[in-house]
Amino acid sequence: MARRNEWKELVIPCIAMVAVECSNITGGILFKAASFKGMSYFVFTAYSYLLSTLVFLFIAALFKRKTRLPPLKFPLFSRIFLLGLLGFSGQLCLFKGIQLSSPTLASAIGNLTPALTFMLAVFFRIEKVAIRSSSCQAKIIGTFTSIFGALVITFYKGPKLFSLSSSVSLQRPLVFMSYESNWIIGGLLEVVAFLILSIGYIIQSQVMKIYPEEITVNLFSGLFGTIISLPICILAEPNLSSWELSSNVAVVSVLYTGLFGLCFGLGVHVWGIRLKGPVFVASFRPASIVIAVVMSAIFLGEAVFLGSVFGTLILSTGLYSVLWGKAREEKEEIIDDSNTINGRVPLLQSQQS
């Protein structure tokens, strides 16, 4: 029974978070391919938000919750509106950064998310920092170890271990690893995007404590994001021809991101934040660079270097340390709660006697 609970409470969320990272990398690669065909990131963002909002509206109508929830008052509604605004702003910065640089660079910079989220969670007192606690030490060390591992993957190649044949790859029609003059600007935009993402994690954790309904929260935040994005994107792209999805890769990228990328990613992230907290969700960001390296090797025929393997081992160690610290922290909280309850029972008995 204990193993079944452990599988449900830790293993399944871990698998879901890794699946989200795979989805994000795939969406980034598809958008980069669509941008080579002339697709604007404003058009892409607007279409993706509109499509994902329609999906959440359908899901909300399909799965109506029977239990009563607290009413959506202005303080809660304003936070959900802020989530929509931050989500749109983050997506805009991220996709523009990918357009100027590459999905691989975005994955590397995304490794700042755990450290940023952990610091914000400590600042807003969502995460407790007890330096003498082994669980807290494991989370801190694991966070920075994961970042270091991702940096090794990004900046140290080493000797080539193997590469897939060109027949397996896509003959490199998308050269998204090119180093252009806009590389730094794209990287800075991606830093801003992941800082906004970290702030969004903190706000989501507060919202889910007040209103623990993932579908409704995602529906309204997506709706607000759509309401904000449509007029801004139309003003930025007034030419109607820019809104035509003329290429197949543009259609696929919008459909994938709208139907699967945003919906699946937002849904799993909000569920994970309610279940485990914002730091747990952010700790899986470093895994994206590993996924990017693997997908580049499989689909683009990229060579696998020693630095990628070495950095992956470091990153996996750091990620395991964070998860171990989180699991140990939860066990310590359960023990403390049981000790508190056991301490109250004799006190009540003595008062009754």
Side-chain angles (χ1 to χ4, degrees), residues 41-57 80-93 95 196-197 204 218-230 233 253-254 257-259 262-263 266:
Y41 68 100
F42 283 109
V43 175
F44 179 82
T45 303
Y47 276 142
S48 299
Y49 258 99
L50 180 61
L51 198 55
S52 64
T53 302
L54 292 176
V55 172
F56 274 121
L57 183 63
I80 298 177
F81 176 83
L82 185 59
L83 281 178
L85 178 61
L86 290 174
F88 166 69
S89 304
Q91 291 291 323
L92 213 58
C93 292
F95 288 124
I196 293 173
L197 179 66
Q204 280 180 345
N218 281 320
L219 172 61
F220 280 105
S221 63
L223 179 61
F224 289 139
T226 303
I227 294 172
I228 296 169
S229 66
L230 282 178
C233 293
S253 63
V254 168
T257 305
L259 294 176
L262 281 177
C263 292
L266 287 173

Side-chain angles (χ1 to χ4, degrees), residues 156-171:
Y156 172 68
K157 282 190 174 181
K160 183 171 70 174
L161 298 180
F162 68 91
S163 61
L164 298 179
S165 62
S166 58
S167 60
V168 179
S169 66
L170 299 177
Q171 301 295 331

Side-chain angles (χ1 to χ4, degrees), residues 320-340:
Y320 173 79
S321 178
V322 173
L323 296 177
W324 180 87
K326 192 68 179 176
R328 185 176 179 84
E329 183 182 59
E330 291 176 355
K331 289 182 180 179
E332 290 174 353
E333 290 177 355
I334 292 173
I335 293 173
D336 291 341
D337 292 340
S338 62
N339 290 338
T340 303

Side-chain angles (χ1 to χ4, degrees), residues 82-353:
L82 185 59
L83 281 178
L85 178 61
L86 290 174
F88 166 69
S89 304
Q91 291 291 323
L92 213 58
C93 292
L94 178 62
F95 288 124
K96 181 59 179 178
I98 291 175
Q99 190 179 52
L100 294 174
S101 57
S102 77
T104 305
L105 180 63
S107 300
I109 294 177
N111 299 301
L112 295 172
T113 309
L116 292 173
T117 306
F118 184 75
M119 289 185 289
L120 288 171
V122 171
F123 179 78
F124 288 103
R125 297 181 180 180
I126 296 174
E127 287 283 331
K128 298 178 181 179
V129 178
I131 302 299
R132 296 181 180 180
S133 171
S134 59
S135 60
C136 182
Q137 292 174 358
K139 288 193 294 183
I140 294 174
I141 295 173
T143 297
F144 289 101
T145 302
S146 298
I147 296 173
F148 177 70
L151 292 176
V152 170
I153 296 173
T154 307
F155 296 107
Y156 172 68
K157 282 190 174 181
K160 183 171 70 174
L161 298 180
F162 68 91
S163 61
L164 298 179
S165 62
S166 58
S167 60
V168 179
S169 66
L170 299 177
Q171 301 295 331
R172 293 179 181 270
L174 2 157
V175 190
F176 61 79
M177 294 292 290
S178 59
Y179 291 85
E180 303 173 357
S181 59
N182 293 327
W183 188 266
I184 296 176
I185 299 175
L188 291 175
L189 286 172
E190 289 161 2
V191 170
V192 174
F194 288 113
L195 175 61
I196 293 173
L197 179 66
S198 299
I199 298 173
Y201 284 157
I202 301 300
I203 297 175
Q204 280 180 345
S205 66
Q206 296 175 346
V207 170
M208 293 312 296
K209 288 181 180 179
I210 304 172
Y211 200 85
E213 177 52 51
E214 293 90 344
I215 296 177
T216 305
V217 172
N218 281 320
L219 172 61
F220 280 105
S221 63
L223 179 61
F224 289 139
T226 303
I227 294 172
I228 296 169
S229 66
L230 282 178
I232 293 176
C233 293
I234 290 173
L235 289 174
E237 292 289 343
N239 190 359
L240 292 178
S241 61
S242 300
W243 292 82
E244 295 178 2
L245 303 179
S246 55
S247 62
N248 291 332
V249 69
V251 175
V252 171
S253 63
V254 168
L255 289 176
Y256 179 87
T257 305
L259 294 176
F260 187 74
L262 281 177
C263 292
F264 178 68
L266 287 173
V268 171
H269 277 168
V270 173
W271 170 72
I273 287 171
R274 180 177 65 84
L275 196 66
K276 294 290 184 179
V279 175
F280 175 84
V281 173
S283 65
F284 283 86
R285 270 290 168 183
S288 62
I289 187 64
V290 180
I291 299 167
V293 170
V294 172
M295 291 184 69
S296 297
I298 294 174
F299 297 107
L300 301 175
E302 294 283 349
V304 176
F305 295 90
L306 178 63
S308 299
V309 177
F310 184 56
T312 301
L313 293 175
I314 298 175
L315 193 151
S316 300
T317 303
L319 184 59
Y320 173 79
S321 178
V322 173
L323 296 177
W324 180 87
K326 192 68 179 176
R328 185 176 179 84
E329 183 182 59
E330 291 176 355
K331 289 182 180 179
E332 290 174 353
E333 290 177 355
I334 292 173
I335 293 173
D336 291 341
D337 292 340
S338 62
N339 290 338
T340 303
I341 294 173
N342 292 333
R344 287 176 181 174
V345 172
L347 181 62
L348 291 173
Q349 291 177 349
S350 62
Q351 289 177 350
Q352 291 175 356
S353 61

Side-chain angles (χ1 to χ4, degrees), residues 22-89:
C22 292
S23 171
N24 291 337
I25 296 299
T26 304
I29 292 175
L30 288 173
F31 167 71
K32 186 64 179 182
S35 68
F36 279 131
K37 298 291 185 179
M39 187 174 190
S40 168
Y41 68 100
F42 283 109
V43 175
F44 179 82
T45 303
Y47 276 142
S48 299
Y49 258 99
L50 180 61
L51 198 55
S52 64
T53 302
L54 292 176
V55 172
F56 274 121
L57 183 63
F58 173 76
I59 295 174
L62 192 62
F63 300 100
K64 293 183 179 179
R65 185 166 180 146
K66 296 180 180 180
T67 57
R68 296 188 64 183
L69 291 168
L72 285 169
K73 296 183 179 179
F74 179 76
L76 177 61
F77 222 66
S78 61
R79 292 181 184 180
I80 298 177
F81 176 83
L82 185 59
L83 281 178
L85 178 61
L86 290 174
F88 166 69
S89 304

